[in-house]
Amino acid sequence: MAAPDFDYENFAQNLAAQAQELVPADFDDSQKQYVVNTLGNFALLSGKALAEDPNLNFNTDQAVTITQIIAEWSFHKSVDLVRSGIPQQYWDPVMQKIAYTIFEIAKQTFSQGLPNDKILELIEHHVKKSYIEAITELKNKGVIDEGLMEVAASQSNMDKMAQEMQNQAIEAEQNGEEVPQISSDGQIQPPVTQDGAASVPKVDSKVLKLATVAMLFNKMKHERVQTILNKFEEDDASSVVNYMRVPNLAEKVGAENAMLALQDLTNSLPKMTNLTPQRVIAQIKHFASKYSRKQLDTILIRERIGVKRLVFNALEDEFYDAMPPKVASVVATHLSNIV
């Protein structure tokens, strides 16, 4: 077995569970299930091959990383397909082509020992290329027309997710919606409008902000947490400590709610006149200098592609332009306190 310690079944299930929280809210149940099932199936198949194929020679960390990359791109491109308007019976062949491409490029690049940032860059390039090739093939077969092909080609869920978070924050602020509450069992409850529909949580909810802070504190060293809590108001500090004890807090807050709260918290901080890409690069390099390359790879295993790109680009003295400096600074600070 190539990676006998890799529990790929449990890992694939965890990735699929995380995807449930991230599937676009406007998708119907069938579309949501397709996205989650596609991610889970490709993660399971790739994980099984990496763990059991005697012809492969990857360690557990590499197997986990490759599987996660396949899962993340499976999520984004399956969402793109749902939004493309292409009939569903043609989705699977497109996704199979993309998953196969990722698997082959990952095998080659990891075997060659390329830097992680270059690996992610190559995979992203080939994913986009294989996606365009697949929908172009559908057009050439007469399955879709030129217009539908252009619509499909223009889809990018990675960009859309970031834009939607900003739009929700603006909409919530403009509508002055009620804030979410946390029930006695620790479940965050969205406010309800007069017609009974759940409304978008307002970003400036103090409850949501404190719960999000608690999520971050759960990943930090105890000494560091206590130092920060000493600067809080007594009631707020007590609330944060209570939220830190809530089981599965991250799932109950929700990814989008947490991102919106983080964004609003960041915006409320004093402006840093020296917040530049060069400062972020220096901060990340200082963090990375404490670890060997193998240790750094292990720390970043479960981080998302954008975070990995930010870190490995910084190690090459380059800034990951797809991430705003303010957000990159928050990520760099988070990494510095994660272990």
Side-chain angles (χ1 to χ4, degrees), residues 218-251:
N218 279 330
K219 295 180 177 292
M220 292 168 58
K221 297 177 182 178
H222 174 74
E223 297 81 2
R224 175 75 171 170
V225 170
Q226 191 57 56
T227 299
I228 299 174
L229 281 176
N230 289 339
K231 301 178 182 179
F232 278 49
E233 295 290 338
E234 185 176 347
D235 289 344
D236 291 345
S238 177
S239 296
V240 170
V241 171
N242 288 334
Y243 295 148
M244 290 175 69
R245 299 186 182 124
V246 173
N248 303 318
L249 178 63
E251 297 178 11

PDB file of all heavy atoms in Angstrom, residues 218-251:
ATOM      1  N   ASN A 218     -10.238  28.778  19.487  1.00  0.00           N
ATOM      2  CA  ASN A 218     -10.127  27.323  19.635  1.00  0.00           C
ATOM      3  C   ASN A 218      -8.920  26.752  18.905  1.00  0.00           C
ATOM      4  O   ASN A 218      -8.499  25.627  19.173  1.00  0.00           O
ATOM      5  CB  ASN A 218     -11.404  26.634  19.138  1.00  0.00           C
ATOM      6  CG  ASN A 218     -12.509  26.654  20.176  1.00  0.00           C
ATOM      7  OD1 ASN A 218     -12.239  26.657  21.375  1.00  0.00           O
ATOM      8  ND2 ASN A 218     -13.751  26.661  19.724  1.00  0.00           N
ATOM      9  N   LYS A 219      -8.375  27.514  17.964  1.00  0.00           N
ATOM     10  CA  LYS A 219      -7.219  27.056  17.196  1.00  0.00           C
ATOM     11  C   LYS A 219      -5.910  27.699  17.673  1.00  0.00           C
ATOM     12  O   LYS A 219      -4.864  27.468  17.069  1.00  0.00           O
ATOM     13  CB  LYS A 219      -7.421  27.373  15.711  1.00  0.00           C
ATOM     14  CG  LYS A 219      -8.578  26.619  15.063  1.00  0.00           C
ATOM     15  CD  LYS A 219      -8.714  26.991  13.597  1.00  0.00           C
ATOM     16  CE  LYS A 219      -9.817  26.180  12.927  1.00  0.00           C
ATOM     17  NZ  LYS A 219      -9.453  24.766  12.823  1.00  0.00           N
ATOM     18  N   MET A 220      -5.986  28.499  18.728  1.00  0.00           N
ATOM     19  CA  MET A 220      -4.811  29.220  19.200  1.00  0.00           C
ATOM     20  C   MET A 220      -4.276  28.633  20.504  1.00  0.00           C
ATOM     21  O   MET A 220      -4.967  27.893  21.194  1.00  0.00           O
ATOM     22  CB  MET A 220      -5.155  30.703  19.405  1.00  0.00           C
ATOM     23  CG  MET A 220      -5.442  31.446  18.115  1.00  0.00           C
ATOM     24  SD  MET A 220      -6.172  33.092  18.384  1.00  0.00           S
ATOM     25  CE  MET A 220      -4.910  33.862  19.396  1.00  0.00           C
ATOM     26  N   LYS A 221      -3.050  28.963  20.821  1.00  0.00           N
ATOM     27  CA  LYS A 221      -2.449  28.543  22.071  1.00  0.00           C
ATOM     28  C   LYS A 221      -3.195  29.193  23.236  1.00  0.00           C
ATOM     29  O   LYS A 221      -3.620  30.345  23.164  1.00  0.00           O
ATOM     30  CB  LYS A 221      -0.974  28.953  22.108  1.00  0.00           C
ATOM     31  CG  LYS A 221      -0.127  28.295  21.029  1.00  0.00           C
ATOM     32  CD  LYS A 221       1.307  28.808  21.080  1.00  0.00           C
ATOM     33  CE  LYS A 221       2.150  28.185  19.977  1.00  0.00           C
ATOM     34  NZ  LYS A 221       3.543  28.700  19.975  1.00  0.00           N
ATOM     35  N   HIS A 222      -3.310  28.436  24.325  1.00  0.00           N
ATOM     36  CA  HIS A 222      -4.070  28.912  25.482  1.00  0.00           C
ATOM     37  C   HIS A 222      -3.502  30.226  26.021  1.00  0.00           C
ATOM     38  O   HIS A 222      -4.254  31.151  26.352  1.00  0.00           O
ATOM     39  CB  HIS A 222      -4.046  27.855  26.587  1.00  0.00           C
ATOM     40  CG  HIS A 222      -4.678  28.304  27.866  1.00  0.00           C
ATOM     41  ND1 HIS A 222      -6.046  28.424  28.021  1.00  0.00           N
ATOM     42  CD2 HIS A 222      -4.119  28.705  29.044  1.00  0.00           C
ATOM     43  CE1 HIS A 222      -6.305  28.867  29.243  1.00  0.00           C
ATOM     44  NE2 HIS A 222      -5.163  29.032  29.884  1.00  0.00           N
ATOM     45  N   GLU A 223      -2.181  30.323  26.096  1.00  0.00           N
ATOM     46  CA  GLU A 223      -1.557  31.526  26.628  1.00  0.00           C
ATOM     47  C   GLU A 223      -1.900  32.747  25.791  1.00  0.00           C
ATOM     48  O   GLU A 223      -2.160  33.844  26.307  1.00  0.00           O
ATOM     49  CB  GLU A 223      -0.028  31.354  26.695  1.00  0.00           C
ATOM     50  CG  GLU A 223       0.429  30.248  27.637  1.00  0.00           C
ATOM     51  CD  GLU A 223       0.331  28.877  27.003  1.00  0.00           C
ATOM     52  OE1 GLU A 223      -0.045  28.784  25.819  1.00  0.00           O
ATOM     53  OE2 GLU A 223       0.622  27.890  27.707  1.00  0.00           O
ATOM     54  N   ARG A 224      -1.892  32.560  24.493  1.00  0.00           N
ATOM     55  CA  ARG A 224      -2.216  33.651  23.580  1.00  0.00           C
ATOM     56  C   ARG A 224      -3.674  34.086  23.745  1.00  0.00           C
ATOM     57  O   ARG A 224      -3.982  35.286  23.766  1.00  0.00           O
ATOM     58  CB  ARG A 224      -1.961  33.188  22.140  1.00  0.00           C
ATOM     59  CG  ARG A 224      -2.359  34.168  21.054  1.00  0.00           C
ATOM     60  CD  ARG A 224      -1.385  35.303  20.955  1.00  0.00           C
ATOM     61  NE  ARG A 224      -1.665  36.122  19.779  1.00  0.00           N
ATOM     62  CZ  ARG A 224      -1.089  37.288  19.545  1.00  0.00           C
ATOM     63  NH1 ARG A 224      -0.201  37.763  20.383  1.00  0.00           N
ATOM     64  NH2 ARG A 224      -1.393  37.966  18.466  1.00  0.00           N
ATOM     65  N   VAL A 225      -4.567  33.107  23.886  1.00  0.00           N
ATOM     66  CA  VAL A 225      -5.990  33.400  24.060  1.00  0.00           C
ATOM     67  C   VAL A 225      -6.218  34.208  25.331  1.00  0.00           C
ATOM     68  O   VAL A 225      -6.934  35.211  25.327  1.00  0.00           O
ATOM     69  CB  VAL A 225      -6.805  32.091  24.107  1.00  0.00           C
ATOM     70  CG1 VAL A 225      -8.250  32.376  24.532  1.00  0.00           C
ATOM     71  CG2 VAL A 225      -6.794  31.411  22.748  1.00  0.00           C
ATOM     72  N   GLN A 226      -5.588  33.782  26.427  1.00  0.00           N
ATOM     73  CA  GLN A 226      -5.789  34.464  27.690  1.00  0.00           C
ATOM     74  C   GLN A 226      -5.285  35.904  27.639  1.00  0.00           C
ATOM     75  O   GLN A 226      -5.910  36.821  28.190  1.00  0.00           O
ATOM     76  CB  GLN A 226      -5.066  33.709  28.818  1.00  0.00           C
ATOM     77  CG  GLN A 226      -5.435  34.205  30.214  1.00  0.00           C
ATOM     78  CD  GLN A 226      -6.926  34.128  30.470  1.00  0.00           C
ATOM     79  OE1 GLN A 226      -7.527  33.064  30.347  1.00  0.00           O
ATOM     80  NE2 GLN A 226      -7.537  35.260  30.811  1.00  0.00           N
ATOM     81  N   THR A 227      -4.167  36.109  26.957  1.00  0.00           N
ATOM     82  CA  THR A 227      -3.625  37.466  26.820  1.00  0.00           C
ATOM     83  C   THR A 227      -4.615  38.382  26.109  1.00  0.00           C
ATOM     84  O   THR A 227      -4.827  39.535  26.514  1.00  0.00           O
ATOM     85  CB  THR A 227      -2.297  37.432  26.037  1.00  0.00           C
ATOM     86  OG1 THR A 227      -1.351  36.642  26.755  1.00  0.00           O
ATOM     87  CG2 THR A 227      -1.742  38.833  25.848  1.00  0.00           C
ATOM     88  N   ILE A 228      -5.246  37.870  25.061  1.00  0.00           N
ATOM     89  CA  ILE A 228      -6.212  38.674  24.299  1.00  0.00           C
ATOM     90  C   ILE A 228      -7.484  38.893  25.107  1.00  0.00           C
ATOM     91  O   ILE A 228      -8.035  39.994  25.143  1.00  0.00           O
ATOM     92  CB  ILE A 228      -6.531  37.997  22.958  1.00  0.00           C
ATOM     93  CG1 ILE A 228      -5.266  37.854  22.108  1.00  0.00           C
ATOM     94  CG2 ILE A 228      -7.587  38.787  22.190  1.00  0.00           C
ATOM     95  CD1 ILE A 228      -5.452  37.075  20.826  1.00  0.00           C
ATOM     96  N   LEU A 229      -7.963  37.825  25.783  1.00  0.00           N
ATOM     97  CA  LEU A 229      -9.198  37.936  26.559  1.00  0.00           C
ATOM     98  C   LEU A 229      -9.076  38.959  27.687  1.00  0.00           C
ATOM     99  O   LEU A 229     -10.070  39.586  28.073  1.00  0.00           O
ATOM    100  CB  LEU A 229      -9.574  36.572  27.147  1.00  0.00           C
ATOM    101  CG  LEU A 229     -10.255  35.581  26.202  1.00  0.00           C
ATOM    102  CD1 LEU A 229     -10.484  34.249  26.905  1.00  0.00           C
ATOM    103  CD2 LEU A 229     -11.577  36.139  25.678  1.00  0.00           C
ATOM    104  N   ASN A 230      -7.881  39.130  28.204  1.00  0.00           N
ATOM    105  CA  ASN A 230      -7.666  40.106  29.278  1.00  0.00           C
ATOM    106  C   ASN A 230      -7.988  41.527  28.834  1.00  0.00           C
ATOM    107  O   ASN A 230      -8.210  42.411  29.672  1.00  0.00           O
ATOM    108  CB  ASN A 230      -6.230  40.034  29.790  1.00  0.00           C
ATOM    109  CG  ASN A 230      -5.958  38.761  30.576  1.00  0.00           C
ATOM    110  OD1 ASN A 230      -6.886  38.121  31.068  1.00  0.00           O
ATOM    111  ND2 ASN A 230      -4.697  38.387  30.679  1.00  0.00           N
ATOM    112  N   LYS A 231      -8.009  41.744  27.523  1.00  0.00           N
ATOM    113  CA  LYS A 231      -8.281  43.075  26.987  1.00  0.00           C
ATOM    114  C   LYS A 231      -9.764  43.259  26.650  1.00  0.00           C
ATOM    115  O   LYS A 231     -10.180  44.341  26.249  1.00  0.00           O
ATOM    116  CB  LYS A 231      -7.425  43.323  25.743  1.00  0.00           C
ATOM    117  CG  LYS A 231      -5.924  43.229  26.012  1.00  0.00           C
ATOM    118  CD  LYS A 231      -5.114  43.426  24.741  1.00  0.00           C
ATOM    119  CE  LYS A 231      -3.620  43.286  25.015  1.00  0.00           C
ATOM    120  NZ  LYS A 231      -2.800  43.445  23.798  1.00  0.00           N
ATOM    121  N   PHE A 232     -10.571  42.188  26.803  1.00  0.00           N
ATOM    122  CA  PHE A 232     -12.001  42.250  26.513  1.00  0.00           C
ATOM    123  C   PHE A 232     -12.758  42.805  27.724  1.00  0.00           C
ATOM    124  O   PHE A 232     -12.300  42.736  28.859  1.00  0.00           O
ATOM    125  CB  PHE A 232     -12.545  40.850  26.207  1.00  0.00           C
ATOM    126  CG  PHE A 232     -12.326  40.400  24.795  1.00  0.00           C
ATOM    127  CD1 PHE A 232     -11.079  40.506  24.191  1.00  0.00           C
ATOM    128  CD2 PHE A 232     -13.356  39.827  24.061  1.00  0.00           C
ATOM    129  CE1 PHE A 232     -10.867  40.072  22.885  1.00  0.00           C
ATOM    130  CE2 PHE A 232     -13.158  39.392  22.771  1.00  0.00           C
ATOM    131  CZ  PHE A 232     -11.911  39.514  22.183  1.00  0.00           C
ATOM    132  N   GLU A 233     -13.968  43.317  27.444  1.00  0.00           N
ATOM    133  CA  GLU A 233     -14.893  43.592  28.530  1.00  0.00           C
ATOM    134  C   GLU A 233     -15.234  42.272  29.214  1.00  0.00           C
ATOM    135  O   GLU A 233     -15.281  41.224  28.572  1.00  0.00           O
ATOM    136  CB  GLU A 233     -16.175  44.247  27.989  1.00  0.00           C
ATOM    137  CG  GLU A 233     -15.976  45.616  27.371  1.00  0.00           C
ATOM    138  CD  GLU A 233     -15.645  46.669  28.422  1.00  0.00           C
ATOM    139  OE1 GLU A 233     -15.984  46.439  29.613  1.00  0.00           O
ATOM    140  OE2 GLU A 233     -15.054  47.704  28.063  1.00  0.00           O
ATOM    141  N   GLU A 234     -15.499  42.330  30.525  1.00  0.00           N
ATOM    142  CA  GLU A 234     -15.701  41.096  31.294  1.00  0.00           C
ATOM    143  C   GLU A 234     -16.826  40.241  30.731  1.00  0.00           C
ATOM    144  O   GLU A 234     -16.692  39.019  30.589  1.00  0.00           O
ATOM    145  CB  GLU A 234     -16.000  41.440  32.755  1.00  0.00           C
ATOM    146  CG  GLU A 234     -16.107  40.220  33.655  1.00  0.00           C
ATOM    147  CD  GLU A 234     -16.299  40.587  35.116  1.00  0.00           C
ATOM    148  OE1 GLU A 234     -16.098  41.778  35.460  1.00  0.00           O
ATOM    149  OE2 GLU A 234     -16.643  39.692  35.908  1.00  0.00           O
ATOM    150  N   ASP A 235     -17.966  40.873  30.393  1.00  0.00           N
ATOM    151  CA  ASP A 235     -19.107  40.109  29.860  1.00  0.00           C
ATOM    152  C   ASP A 235     -18.771  39.475  28.521  1.00  0.00           C
ATOM    153  O   ASP A 235     -19.152  38.323  28.251  1.00  0.00           O
ATOM    154  CB  ASP A 235     -20.328  41.021  29.720  1.00  0.00           C
ATOM    155  CG  ASP A 235     -20.914  41.417  31.072  1.00  0.00           C
ATOM    156  OD1 ASP A 235     -20.572  40.760  32.073  1.00  0.00           O
ATOM    157  OD2 ASP A 235     -21.709  42.385  31.103  1.00  0.00           O
ATOM    158  N   ASP A 236     -18.088  40.236  27.644  1.00  0.00           N
ATOM    159  CA  ASP A 236     -17.726  39.704  26.329  1.00  0.00           C
ATOM    160  C   ASP A 236     -16.747  38.539  26.471  1.00  0.00           C
ATOM    161  O   ASP A 236     -16.868  37.527  25.764  1.00  0.00           O
ATOM    162  CB  ASP A 236     -17.106  40.804  25.465  1.00  0.00           C
ATOM    163  CG  ASP A 236     -18.126  41.852  25.055  1.00  0.00           C
ATOM    164  OD1 ASP A 236     -19.334  41.578  25.199  1.00  0.00           O
ATOM    165  OD2 ASP A 236     -17.714  42.927  24.591  1.00  0.00           O
ATOM    166  N   ALA A 237     -15.780  38.683  27.358  1.00  0.00           N
ATOM    167  CA  ALA A 237     -14.804  37.617  27.574  1.00  0.00           C
ATOM    168  C   ALA A 237     -15.501  36.345  28.054  1.00  0.00           C
ATOM    169  O   ALA A 237     -15.189  35.235  27.602  1.00  0.00           O
ATOM    170  CB  ALA A 237     -13.751  38.053  28.579  1.00  0.00           C
ATOM    171  N   SER A 238     -16.465  36.504  28.960  1.00  0.00           N
ATOM    172  CA  SER A 238     -17.213  35.358  29.471  1.00  0.00           C
ATOM    173  C   SER A 238     -18.011  34.685  28.359  1.00  0.00           C
ATOM    174  O   SER A 238     -18.072  33.453  28.268  1.00  0.00           O
ATOM    175  CB  SER A 238     -18.156  35.815  30.591  1.00  0.00           C
ATOM    176  OG  SER A 238     -18.934  34.740  31.060  1.00  0.00           O
ATOM    177  N   SER A 239     -18.610  35.499  27.483  1.00  0.00           N
ATOM    178  CA  SER A 239     -19.384  34.946  26.363  1.00  0.00           C
ATOM    179  C   SER A 239     -18.489  34.156  25.419  1.00  0.00           C
ATOM    180  O   SER A 239     -18.851  33.062  24.972  1.00  0.00           O
ATOM    181  CB  SER A 239     -20.091  36.067  25.600  1.00  0.00           C
ATOM    182  OG  SER A 239     -21.040  36.709  26.412  1.00  0.00           O
ATOM    183  N   VAL A 240     -17.318  34.708  25.106  1.00  0.00           N
ATOM    184  CA  VAL A 240     -16.394  34.019  24.207  1.00  0.00           C
ATOM    185  C   VAL A 240     -15.981  32.677  24.791  1.00  0.00           C
ATOM    186  O   VAL A 240     -15.955  31.654  24.096  1.00  0.00           O
ATOM    187  CB  VAL A 240     -15.147  34.893  23.936  1.00  0.00           C
ATOM    188  CG1 VAL A 240     -14.082  34.077  23.198  1.00  0.00           C
ATOM    189  CG2 VAL A 240     -15.517  36.111  23.118  1.00  0.00           C
ATOM    190  N   VAL A 241     -15.660  32.649  26.078  1.00  0.00           N
ATOM    191  CA  VAL A 241     -15.266  31.396  26.733  1.00  0.00           C
ATOM    192  C   VAL A 241     -16.398  30.375  26.660  1.00  0.00           C
ATOM    193  O   VAL A 241     -16.168  29.185  26.396  1.00  0.00           O
ATOM    194  CB  VAL A 241     -14.864  31.651  28.206  1.00  0.00           C
ATOM    195  CG1 VAL A 241     -14.672  30.336  28.948  1.00  0.00           C
ATOM    196  CG2 VAL A 241     -13.594  32.485  28.270  1.00  0.00           C
ATOM    197  N   ASN A 242     -17.635  30.828  26.863  1.00  0.00           N
ATOM    198  CA  ASN A 242     -18.779  29.912  26.789  1.00  0.00           C
ATOM    199  C   ASN A 242     -18.948  29.358  25.378  1.00  0.00           C
ATOM    200  O   ASN A 242     -19.230  28.164  25.197  1.00  0.00           O
ATOM    201  CB  ASN A 242     -20.061  30.628  27.222  1.00  0.00           C
ATOM    202  CG  ASN A 242     -20.112  30.879  28.709  1.00  0.00           C
ATOM    203  OD1 ASN A 242     -19.493  30.147  29.487  1.00  0.00           O
ATOM    204  ND2 ASN A 242     -20.835  31.907  29.129  1.00  0.00           N
ATOM    205  N   TYR A 243     -18.781  30.219  24.353  1.00  0.00           N
ATOM    206  CA  TYR A 243     -18.911  29.757  22.981  1.00  0.00           C
ATOM    207  C   TYR A 243     -17.802  28.768  22.618  1.00  0.00           C
ATOM    208  O   TYR A 243     -18.007  27.852  21.822  1.00  0.00           O
ATOM    209  CB  TYR A 243     -18.890  30.935  22.003  1.00  0.00           C
ATOM    210  CG  TYR A 243     -20.077  31.867  22.142  1.00  0.00           C
ATOM    211  CD1 TYR A 243     -19.943  33.231  21.886  1.00  0.00           C
ATOM    212  CD2 TYR A 243     -21.322  31.389  22.520  1.00  0.00           C
ATOM    213  CE1 TYR A 243     -21.021  34.094  22.022  1.00  0.00           C
ATOM    214  CE2 TYR A 243     -22.402  32.242  22.656  1.00  0.00           C
ATOM    215  CZ  TYR A 243     -22.250  33.591  22.421  1.00  0.00           C
ATOM    216  OH  TYR A 243     -23.321  34.435  22.556  1.00  0.00           O
ATOM    217  N   MET A 244     -16.629  28.952  23.208  1.00  0.00           N
ATOM    218  CA  MET A 244     -15.519  28.034  22.930  1.00  0.00           C
ATOM    219  C   MET A 244     -15.834  26.619  23.396  1.00  0.00           C
ATOM    220  O   MET A 244     -15.270  25.642  22.888  1.00  0.00           O
ATOM    221  CB  MET A 244     -14.234  28.528  23.613  1.00  0.00           C
ATOM    222  CG  MET A 244     -13.648  29.786  22.997  1.00  0.00           C
ATOM    223  SD  MET A 244     -12.216  30.430  23.913  1.00  0.00           S
ATOM    224  CE  MET A 244     -10.992  29.143  23.576  1.00  0.00           C
ATOM    225  N   ARG A 245     -16.765  26.492  24.336  1.00  0.00           N
ATOM    226  CA  ARG A 245     -17.135  25.172  24.862  1.00  0.00           C
ATOM    227  C   ARG A 245     -18.264  24.525  24.068  1.00  0.00           C
ATOM    228  O   ARG A 245     -18.619  23.380  24.318  1.00  0.00           O
ATOM    229  CB  ARG A 245     -17.566  25.306  26.328  1.00  0.00           C
ATOM    230  CG  ARG A 245     -16.469  25.845  27.255  1.00  0.00           C
ATOM    231  CD  ARG A 245     -16.937  25.809  28.697  1.00  0.00           C
ATOM    232  NE  ARG A 245     -15.926  26.366  29.590  1.00  0.00           N
ATOM    233  CZ  ARG A 245     -16.143  27.370  30.437  1.00  0.00           C
ATOM    234  NH1 ARG A 245     -17.345  27.930  30.491  1.00  0.00           N
ATOM    235  NH2 ARG A 245     -15.170  27.795  31.226  1.00  0.00           N
ATOM    236  N   VAL A 246     -18.847  25.258  23.133  1.00  0.00           N
ATOM    237  CA  VAL A 246     -19.966  24.718  22.349  1.00  0.00           C
ATOM    238  C   VAL A 246     -19.454  23.650  21.382  1.00  0.00           C
ATOM    239  O   VAL A 246     -18.546  23.909  20.592  1.00  0.00           O
ATOM    240  CB  VAL A 246     -20.670  25.840  21.560  1.00  0.00           C
ATOM    241  CG1 VAL A 246     -21.725  25.255  20.624  1.00  0.00           C
ATOM    242  CG2 VAL A 246     -21.311  26.836  22.515  1.00  0.00           C
ATOM    243  N   PRO A 247     -20.002  22.442  21.418  1.00  0.00           N
ATOM    244  CA  PRO A 247     -19.567  21.391  20.479  1.00  0.00           C
ATOM    245  C   PRO A 247     -19.852  21.786  19.034  1.00  0.00           C
ATOM    246  O   PRO A 247     -20.896  22.375  18.727  1.00  0.00           O
ATOM    247  CB  PRO A 247     -20.420  20.172  20.888  1.00  0.00           C
ATOM    248  CG  PRO A 247     -20.883  20.469  22.284  1.00  0.00           C
ATOM    249  CD  PRO A 247     -21.038  21.955  22.356  1.00  0.00           C
ATOM    250  N   ASN A 248     -18.909  21.474  18.148  1.00  0.00           N
ATOM    251  CA  ASN A 248     -19.084  21.724  16.706  1.00  0.00           C
ATOM    252  C   ASN A 248     -19.473  23.175  16.421  1.00  0.00           C
ATOM    253  O   ASN A 248     -20.368  23.452  15.607  1.00  0.00           O
ATOM    254  CB  ASN A 248     -20.145  20.782  16.116  1.00  0.00           C
ATOM    255  CG  ASN A 248     -19.816  19.328  16.342  1.00  0.00           C
ATOM    256  OD1 ASN A 248     -18.668  18.908  16.198  1.00  0.00           O
ATOM    257  ND2 ASN A 248     -20.815  18.541  16.705  1.00  0.00           N
ATOM    258  N   LEU A 249     -18.790  24.086  17.095  1.00  0.00           N
ATOM    259  CA  LEU A 249     -19.125  25.508  16.950  1.00  0.00           C
ATOM    260  C   LEU A 249     -19.027  25.977  15.505  1.00  0.00           C
ATOM    261  O   LEU A 249     -19.887  26.716  15.027  1.00  0.00           O
ATOM    262  CB  LEU A 249     -18.206  26.352  17.841  1.00  0.00           C
ATOM    263  CG  LEU A 249     -18.395  27.873  17.771  1.00  0.00           C
ATOM    264  CD1 LEU A 249     -19.797  28.249  18.243  1.00  0.00           C
ATOM    265  CD2 LEU A 249     -17.343  28.592  18.613  1.00  0.00           C
ATOM    266  N   ALA A 250     -17.971  25.545  14.788  1.00  0.00           N
ATOM    267  CA  ALA A 250     -17.776  25.992  13.404  1.00  0.00           C
ATOM    268  C   ALA A 250     -18.956  25.630  12.531  1.00  0.00           C
ATOM    269  O   ALA A 250     -19.404  26.418  11.687  1.00  0.00           O
ATOM    270  CB  ALA A 250     -16.484  25.395  12.847  1.00  0.00           C
ATOM    271  N   GLU A 251     -19.497  24.425  12.717  1.00  0.00           N
ATOM    272  CA  GLU A 251     -20.641  23.991  11.912  1.00  0.00           C
ATOM    273  C   GLU A 251     -21.875  24.819  12.238  1.00  0.00           C
ATOM    274  O   GLU A 251     -22.687  25.122  11.356  1.00  0.00           O
ATOM    275  CB  GLU A 251     -20.920  22.515  12.160  1.00  0.00           C
ATOM    276  CG  GLU A 251     -19.787  21.582  11.732  1.00  0.00           C
ATOM    277  CD  GLU A 251     -20.084  20.133  12.043  1.00  0.00           C
ATOM    278  OE1 GLU A 251     -21.249  19.834  12.403  1.00  0.00           O
ATOM    279  OE2 GLU A 251     -19.171  19.299  11.939  1.00  0.00           O
TER     280      GLU A 251
END
